Amino acid sequence: MSVVAFAHKRTTGFWDEVELNTIVTALSVAGSGREWETGMTENGDPQFYLLGPLPDQACELSVSRIGGRYILEDGSGRLLFEHQSLAIVALHAKAAAARSVPWWFVAHVVLLWCTVRQIVHEKVEPWLAESEELLVELAPQLVTFA
Amino acid sequence: MDLAMRLGLKYYTFISQVENGFSRVPTEAMAAWATELGLEPAAFAKHLLLYYEPELHRLLFGRKV
């Protein structure tokens, strides 16, 4: 008879490779280019921090493991989710990271949109109006040739 | 952990976030933190501002650290 051992679930100590991979994989999809850090609490429980953009790089989300339970919090300490399964917590973290689109990104999109509109207004619209005028002038002559 | 309990937090993990320098004490919670730490809220907020916004602290209080 063969006995299959259950995977050992960590309850203490620093993140192991599987745990870190689970979190990083889930979060890198939601916010590519974002950096992360790890740390320990005063009681030796591991923490994972998803950081915001430079220069502040404030923590946007954190995942901690306390006594085999995974805790998901935002950068203001609001408890977002907790569960014994890291995979489930990572899914919630991914969703939370996707929801918290950074303000600088929104600002860039708005600025880009305004710039494009301004260019269209200043350059393209007069050109179109000119072309239309030209067409109106030339159309009767073209009809005569046809 | 004790501070977390006194602040009514379910877990002490946010305290560690702040202690490790990855999060700031939320402005709306500064008074509560100060009270639980036995500090005067204005002095506590002023001290935090020195670290969080050093330039603003310098403009307001005129000292650079």
Side-chain angles (χ1 to χ4, degrees):
Chain A
M1 186 179 87
S2 62
V3 178
V4 178
F6 284 102
H8 177 67
K9 190 174 181 346
R10 283 184 78 100
T11 54
T12 56
F14 199 66
W15 297 116
D16 65 29
E17 207 179 316
V18 176
E19 287 177 314
L20 263 184
N21 278 341
T22 304
I23 305 172
V24 170
T25 305
L27 289 175
S28 63
V29 177
S32 56
R34 283 204 251 184
E35 292 185 30
W36 54 272
E37 274 286 349
T38 54
M40 297 280 269
T41 68
E42 62 186 24
N43 288 355
D45 296 312
Q47 291 196 299
F48 174 98
Y49 312 106
L50 177 68
L51 304 178
L54 287 164
D56 289 343
Q57 290 205 302
C59 173
E60 291 183 354
L61 286 176
S62 95
V63 180
S64 310
R65 179 182 4 91
I66 296 180
R69 198 163 180 83
Y70 298 95
I71 316 298
L72 174 66
E73 291 171 311
D74 68 10
S76 306
R78 272 188 293 270
L79 179 63
L80 301 177
F81 190 69
E82 56 178 308
H83 203 272
Q84 289 176 341
S85 162
L86 179 59
I88 296 173
V89 172
L91 280 176
H92 281 260
K94 180 182 173 181
R99 274 197 303 272
S100 66
V101 179
W103 63 268
W104 57 266
F105 177 73
V106 176
H108 277 254
V109 170
V110 170
L111 185 66
L112 184 67
W113 172 244
C114 291
T115 308
V116 168
R117 277 197 62 179
Q118 189 66 21
I119 289 170
V120 168
H121 183 69
E122 284 180 2
K123 309 274 183 195
V124 180
E125 277 180 6
W127 181 79
L128 282 176
E130 202 175 294
S131 303
E132 197 181 350
E133 235 171 71
L134 198 66
L135 187 69
V136 168
E137 275 180 30
L138 286 178
Q141 295 170 36
L142 289 173
V143 169
T144 325
F145 279 115
Chain B
M1 201 180 281
D2 183 44
L3 176 62
M5 275 174 55
R6 282 186 280 152
L7 287 168
L9 299 170
K10 188 174 178 183
Y11 294 103
Y12 74 100
T13 45
F14 181 60
I15 310 289
S16 295
Q17 266 188 60
V18 174
E19 282 175 346
N20 289 338
F22 289 102
S23 288
R24 296 178 174 194
V25 178
T27 309
E28 64 273 16
M30 280 183 187
W33 278 58
T35 306
E36 294 304 334
L37 289 168
L39 300 167
E40 204 269 312
F44 181 66
K46 186 177 169 183
H47 191 69
L48 289 180
L49 191 66
L50 176 64
Y51 294 99
Y52 295 168
E53 298 288 346
E55 189 57 23
L56 180 59
H57 186 277
R58 190 186 65 80
L59 289 169
L60 288 171
F61 306 110
R63 268 185 300 144
K64 192 156 190 165
V65 176

